[in-house]
């Protein structure tokens, strides 16, 4: 396509931050090693030198204090972007995220909004073992008051930040670690995206594959394999994990009548469970087959490559689950 | 009473009146609790009035407050009107938080009161952020951050001290050291019982004052706020105080003896200031009677307002879970 721009997911994140800081004096970024070091995943490389240390703030290893400071600054008129190095570390700031950011607008009777954006890396695949590899976005999607985003494409990585900053509510953006090096195209003329709707990434008539984030490309690979067998899978990229775009899911289910949910989170008490239950509640009689799920195995993500990969959703398992619904043995 | 202080009649009466307003407001809250019109937790400030009254006198409208869950006194001293406060206590939609917060979660945008926070230590990082926002937006505000001595056991306290000092943020940290974190005595929880020393470890200038003496608190706070405005750097004020009543309405106080409470009551900050003002000739015999009548009338008016208040329709339950816009 002429005019399309090719870049990595990392570069898309970087451009989004740069643009946001330049566009609004109330916007600043803070987090561990976001400045001089350039970001743990090199997302913010060069930004401190270009934009200044008063707009790109290096913090000590004090997740609770700097996330809480972001919340306070948001309540007092700023539009902070706070980077938490990985969602595994966000647990050190969970008090601030849940008890303050998600709670204060309601608890104050609407006197204060908390327009903060929290970015964090999520997911496995880099052999970082159990304390750096979990997918906790489903936990945060449990919490009223938060908007949870999972950009899977380069275009979403590039354009979700601006509407997230414009949102008067706290927004958490989960960036899957395996996507940073991925290259993709931003279509010519695309200047923005919404943060309300799911997207159909591949249309199909036989089965719906619902997924998001790092699992999108595994799911698309599974759909390609299924196509070779004559099964046309529709792939839904949720994009927004809270509030869920249930209308998009139900519309697809009504077309295909079969669903597989693919989620790198654990299965028990999960986002995949929530999606399945909503389908049961809202579209039970549209279904021609039971709902299937492909999730991470219920283990702490291990270090060794073969064990790590065995713990994660894979295209073969996704295809097998879909095949089992369309052509039961 | 600090001899060096030149405390005039108007200032002395204002301090006395604010402490009395807090005391009488809370006495009314106890009665309303016993009448089962206030429910949930009710943490009384009885005995600690000198701390917030002294500190708030040093602040102006441009300054921010991060409060605790024992914050009725902080709210009244800050100037939040009693009517919406009492309506909040009764869970009415005329309350400052429309009945969603209650006793532990008083917020008031108009006075930059960033909330009663019931996670001990949870308000400290917020205060950092308010101070950071003020500095970034070129405002001269000082953020006063209240917390009890129990908060210094939390990691958030230490993270906050370090960041406030490292970034030189204009925060006045006010530690209300009432010697008990719920039922655990200071010496049973702290390796270092001189709390202000902990702040010094982060290179935050720090001092302890007699928190039962409103003039001492006011003088220290004024000096601290002036210095913060001048230098931008934080300051730590440990106020040594005592709560005369139980931790909450569910506390049988098995952890302290009655003699100790009686001894501290001898230092009642209201009685103390009153005696000093009388001695100095500033408090005339009918002043006190008039002041009490006025305060009682204000409290009665707040109760009448709250009692006449209405309940938020249940259809509005989810209102403000997410906001449609940022209030300005």
């Amino acid at each position: 396509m002429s005019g399309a721009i090719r870049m990595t997911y990392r570069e898309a994140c970087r451009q989004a931050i740069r643009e946001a800081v330049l566009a609004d004096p109330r916007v600043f970024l803070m987090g561990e090693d976001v400045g001089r070091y350039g970001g743990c995943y090199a997302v913010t490389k060069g930004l401190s030198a270009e934009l200044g240390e008063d707009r790109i703030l290096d913090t000590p290893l004090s997740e609770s204090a700097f996330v809480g400071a972001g919340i306070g600054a948001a309540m007092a008129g700023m539009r902070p972007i706070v980077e938490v190095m990985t969602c595994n570390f966000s647990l050190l700031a969970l008090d601030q995220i849940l008890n303050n950011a998600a709670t204060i607008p309601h608890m104050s009777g609407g006197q204060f909004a908390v327009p903060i954006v929290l970015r964090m890396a999520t997911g496995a695949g880099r052999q970082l073992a159990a304390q750096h590899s979990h997918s906790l976005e489903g936990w945060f999607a449990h919490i009223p008051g938060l908007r949870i985003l999972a950009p899977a494409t380069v275009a979403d990585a590039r354009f979700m930040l601006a509407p997230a900053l414009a949102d008067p509510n706290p927004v958490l953006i989960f960036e899957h670690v395996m996507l940073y090096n991925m290259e993709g195209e931003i279509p010519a003329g695309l200047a923005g995206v919404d943060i309300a709707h799911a997207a159909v990434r591949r249309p199909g008539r036989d089965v719906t594959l619902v997924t998001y984030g790092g699992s999108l490309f595994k799911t698309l690979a599974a759909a390609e394999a299924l196509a070779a067998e004559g099964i046309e899978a529709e792939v839904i990229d949720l994009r927004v994990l809270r509030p869920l775009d249930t209308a998009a899911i139900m519309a697809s289910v009504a077309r295909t009548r079969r669903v597989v949910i693919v989620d790198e989170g654990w299965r028990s008490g999960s986002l995949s469970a929530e999606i399945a239950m909503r389908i049961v509640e809202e579209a039970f009689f549209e279904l021609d087959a039971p709902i299937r799920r492909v999730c991470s195995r219920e283990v702490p993500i291990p270090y060794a490559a073969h064990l790590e990969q065995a713990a994660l959703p894979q295209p073969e398992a996704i295809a097998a689950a879909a095949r089992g619904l369309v052509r039961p043995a | 009473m600090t001899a060096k202080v030149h405390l005039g009649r108007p200032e002395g009466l204002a301090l006395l009146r604010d402490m009395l307003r807090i005391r009488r407001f809370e006495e009314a809250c106890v009665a309303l609790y016993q009448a089962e019109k206030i429910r949930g937790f009710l943490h009384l400030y009885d005995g600690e009035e000198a701390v917030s009254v002294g500190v708030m006198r040093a602040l102006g409208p441009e300054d921010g407050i991060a409060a605790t869950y024992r914050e009725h006194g902080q709210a009244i001293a800050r100037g939040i009107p009693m009517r919406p406060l009492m309506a909040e206590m009764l869970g009415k939609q005329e309350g400052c938080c429309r009945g969603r917060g209650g006793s532990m979660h008083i917020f008031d945008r108009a006075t930059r009161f960033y909330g009663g926070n019931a996670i001990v230590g949870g308000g400290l990082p917020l205060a950092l952020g308010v101070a950071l926002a003020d500095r970034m937006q070129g405002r001269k505000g000082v953020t006063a951050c209240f917390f009890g001595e129990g908060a210094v056991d939390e990691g958030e306290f230490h993270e906050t001290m370090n960041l406030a000092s490292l970034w030189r943020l204009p925060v006045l940290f006010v530690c209300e050291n009432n010697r008990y974190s719920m039922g655990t005595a200071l010496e049973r929880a702290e390796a270092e019982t001189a709390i202000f020393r902990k702040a010094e470890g982060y290179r935050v200038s720090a001092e302890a004052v007699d928190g039962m003496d409103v003039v001492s608190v006011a003088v220290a706070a004024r000096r601290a706020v002036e210095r913060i405005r001048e230098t931008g750097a934080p300051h730590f004020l440990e106020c040594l105080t005592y709560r005369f009543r139980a931790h909450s309405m569910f506390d049988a106080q098995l952890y302290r003896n009655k003699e100790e409470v009686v001894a501290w009551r001898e230092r009642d900050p209201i009685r103390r200031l009153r005696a000093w003002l009388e001695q100095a000739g500033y408090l005339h015999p009918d002043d006190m009677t008039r002041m009490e009548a006025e305060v009682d009338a204000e409290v009665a008016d707040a109760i009448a307002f709250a009692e006449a208040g209405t309940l938020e329709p249940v259809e509005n339950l989810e209102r403000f879970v997410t906001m449609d816009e940022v209030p300005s």
Side-chain angles (χ1 to χ4, degrees):
Chain A
M1 193 197 300
S2 70
I5 303 166
R6 202 164 176 79
M7 68 176 79
T8 61
Y9 185 98
R10 170 183 295 107
E11 175 62 14
C13 293
R14 197 189 74 86
Q15 286 191 14
I17 295 166
R18 180 179 177 276
E19 179 184 71
V21 172
L22 287 172
D24 186 341
R26 299 172 302 173
V27 175
F28 65 99
L29 172 75
M30 66 176 158
E32 294 158 357
D33 275 321
V34 298
R36 203 167 285 190
Y37 186 94
C40 177
Y41 293 98
V43 167
T44 52
K45 206 168 178 183
L47 291 184
S48 173
E50 182 193 348
L51 302 171
E53 292 193 348
D54 55 340
R55 305 295 296 283
I56 307 290
L57 281 68
D58 276 323
T59 68
L61 308 187
S62 305
E63 284 82 1
S64 202
F66 70 75
V67 170
I71 294 165
M75 291 169 74
M78 300 299 285
R79 296 292 182 275
I81 307 168
V82 179
E83 177 177 309
V84 177
M85 202 178 277
T86 104
C87 69
N88 303 271
F89 304 168
S90 75
L91 303 187
L92 295 162
L94 195 51
D95 167 49
Q96 290 296 328
I97 298 170
L98 172 55
N99 287 317
N100 284 339
T103 305
I104 282 174
H106 188 260
M107 196 163 69
S108 70
Q111 293 184 78
F112 291 97
V114 184
I116 189 174
V117 173
L118 292 168
R119 298 174 44 242
M120 52 188 99
T122 186
R126 291 184 164 223
Q127 288 192 260
L128 301 178
Q131 293 179 342
H132 282 69
S133 301
H134 289 144
S135 293
L136 302 179
E137 52 276 4
W139 283 11
F140 288 101
H142 178 65
I143 301 172
L146 303 181
R147 184 179 293 273
I148 310 295
L149 306 181
T153 65
V154 168
D156 276 350
R158 176 66 183 83
F159 291 122
M160 274 185 162
L161 182 63
L165 282 165
D167 193 314
N169 301 293
V171 178
L172 277 60
I173 303 180
F174 288 86
E175 299 163 5
H176 197 287
V177 291
M178 295 307 286
L179 298 178
Y180 285 123
N181 289 332
M182 178 189 73
E183 279 196 15
E185 280 189 351
I186 293 176
L190 184 68
V193 298
D194 74 62
I195 52 168
H197 295 99
V200 176
R201 297 299 184 195
R202 184 189 199 284
R205 61 173 188 269
D206 297 322
V207 60
T208 295
L209 309 179
V210 178
T211 190
Y212 68 90
S215 297
L216 174 62
F217 299 94
K218 293 176 176 179
T219 305
L220 287 168
E224 284 303 308
L226 290 165
E229 303 168 22
I231 296 173
E232 290 301 327
E234 179 152 294
V235 177
I236 304 275
D237 172 8
L238 290 171
R239 300 180 67 245
V240 186
L241 308 185
R242 185 185 183 97
L244 278 170
D245 181 3
T246 46
I249 298 168
M250 302 315 154
S252 182
V253 170
R255 284 192 290 275
T256 66
R257 299 180 175 275
R258 296 171 184 83
V259 190
V260 177
I261 303 161
V262 183
D263 179 4
E264 197 175 309
W266 293 300
R267 177 189 304 254
S268 300
S270 66
L271 189 65
S272 68
E274 176 63 28
I275 294 163
M277 194 61 211
R278 291 204 190 185
I279 294 168
V280 168
E281 286 172 337
E282 295 181 35
F284 183 76
F285 294 106
E286 304 286 351
L287 291 171
D288 282 349
I291 299 166
R292 297 289 182 217
R293 286 187 282 166
V294 180
C295 300
S296 281
R297 296 279 293 277
E298 305 235 341
V299 294
I301 302 295
Y303 161 69
H306 69 295
L307 293 177
E308 181 184 43
Q309 290 303 316
L312 300 175
Q314 300 295 352
E316 299 73 27
I318 301 165
R323 197 181 294 121
L325 294 183
V326 179
R327 294 177 185 154
Chain B
M1 204 58 55
T2 316
K4 289 176 285 187
V5 178
H6 299 290
L7 181 70
R9 174 176 147 87
E11 178 70 4
L13 292 188
L15 292 171
L16 186 63
R17 172 187 291 269
D18 265 355
M19 289 198 291
L20 191 66
R21 289 174 69 233
I22 296 167
R23 182 75 56 93
R24 291 291 165 90
F25 178 88
E26 290 203 315
E27 284 168 357
C29 288
V30 172
L32 289 163
Y33 200 93
Q34 283 157 352
E36 301 192 0
K37 290 179 177 173
I38 298 175
R39 297 281 79 192
F41 281 135
L42 182 69
H43 303 96
L44 300 175
Y45 203 59
D46 191 5
E48 304 184 26
E49 294 90 344
V51 179
S52 59
V53 169
V55 170
M56 296 302 179
R57 297 296 291 184
L59 301 176
E62 70 278 20
D63 300 317
I65 318 290
T68 67
Y69 59 88
R70 192 184 300 285
E71 87 283 34
H72 310 147
Q74 296 152 9
I76 290 171
R78 179 55 178 168
I80 304 176
M82 275 190 198
R83 280 182 164 196
L85 282 181
M86 192 58 91
E88 187 63 28
M89 306 296 290
L90 267 62
K92 301 293 179 68
Q93 64 175 336
E94 291 78 9
C96 50
C97 301
R98 303 185 64 95
R100 284 159 172 78
S103 163
M104 299 192 287
H105 304 298
I106 291 163
F107 287 78
D108 185 54
R109 186 171 190 86
T111 57
R112 300 199 79 199
F113 199 84
Y114 289 93
N117 204 306
I119 305 297
V120 171
L124 282 100
L126 291 187
L128 281 184
V130 172
L132 181 65
D134 280 351
R135 190 174 74 186
M136 283 179 152
Q137 293 170 105
R139 294 191 295 251
K140 285 287 170 201
V142 169
T143 303
C145 177
F146 289 81
F147 52 94
E149 88 287 353
V152 308
D153 302 338
E154 299 283 358
E156 281 181 329
F157 168 81
H158 299 273
E159 293 186 9
T160 299
M161 283 303 127
N162 181 54
L163 255 181
S165 182
L166 185 72
W167 288 357
R168 283 179 74 86
L169 291 171
V171 181
L172 174 62
F173 293 102
V174 182
C175 178
E176 300 179 324
N177 179 359
N178 69 12
R179 308 193 64 80
Y180 292 91
S181 47
M182 205 160 100
T184 301
L186 189 62
E187 49 280 0
R188 289 171 61 84
E190 299 304 320
E192 171 57 87
T193 54
I195 303 294
F196 73 98
R197 296 265 181 236
K198 296 173 197 280
E200 287 179 340
Y202 295 99
R203 296 182 178 272
V204 174
S205 63
E207 64 190 305
V209 296
D210 180 357
M212 307 303 278
D213 175 5
V214 70
V215 179
S216 292
V217 175
V219 168
R222 188 179 308 159
R223 195 170 51 221
V225 169
E226 279 169 10
R227 185 159 61 191
I228 295 168
R229 282 199 216 286
E230 196 180 301
T231 65
H235 185 78
F236 189 100
L237 194 61
E238 178 186 357
C239 301
L240 301 165
T241 184
Y242 198 79
R243 63 173 155 74
F244 295 156
R245 299 204 195 213
H247 168 75
S248 72
M249 301 305 277
F250 303 129
D251 168 15
Q253 301 191 72
L254 304 174
Y255 49 85
R256 63 183 187 183
N257 62 49
K258 287 194 172 66
E259 293 73 29
E260 180 183 299
V261 180
V262 169
W264 276 89
R265 276 191 185 276
E266 290 299 313
R267 301 173 58 188
D268 184 327
I270 294 177
R271 207 174 348 152
R272 195 160 162 184
L273 179 63
R274 182 181 172 176
W276 187 85
L277 288 171
E278 281 169 350
Q279 210 176 2
Y282 289 153
L283 190 69
H284 309 148
D286 58 339
D287 283 340
M288 198 66 199
T289 319
R290 194 176 60 243
M291 188 184 292
E292 282 175 332
E294 285 166 2
V295 169
D296 288 346
E298 184 185 8
V299 173
D301 170 74
I303 295 170
F305 175 82
E307 299 254 30
T310 53
L311 297 176
E312 176 96 75
V314 173
E315 304 89 86
N316 293 345
L317 174 64
E318 294 177 12
R319 193 176 169 205
F320 309 124
V321 171
T322 55
M323 302 284 285
D324 298 329
E325 57 183 14
V326 177
S328 54

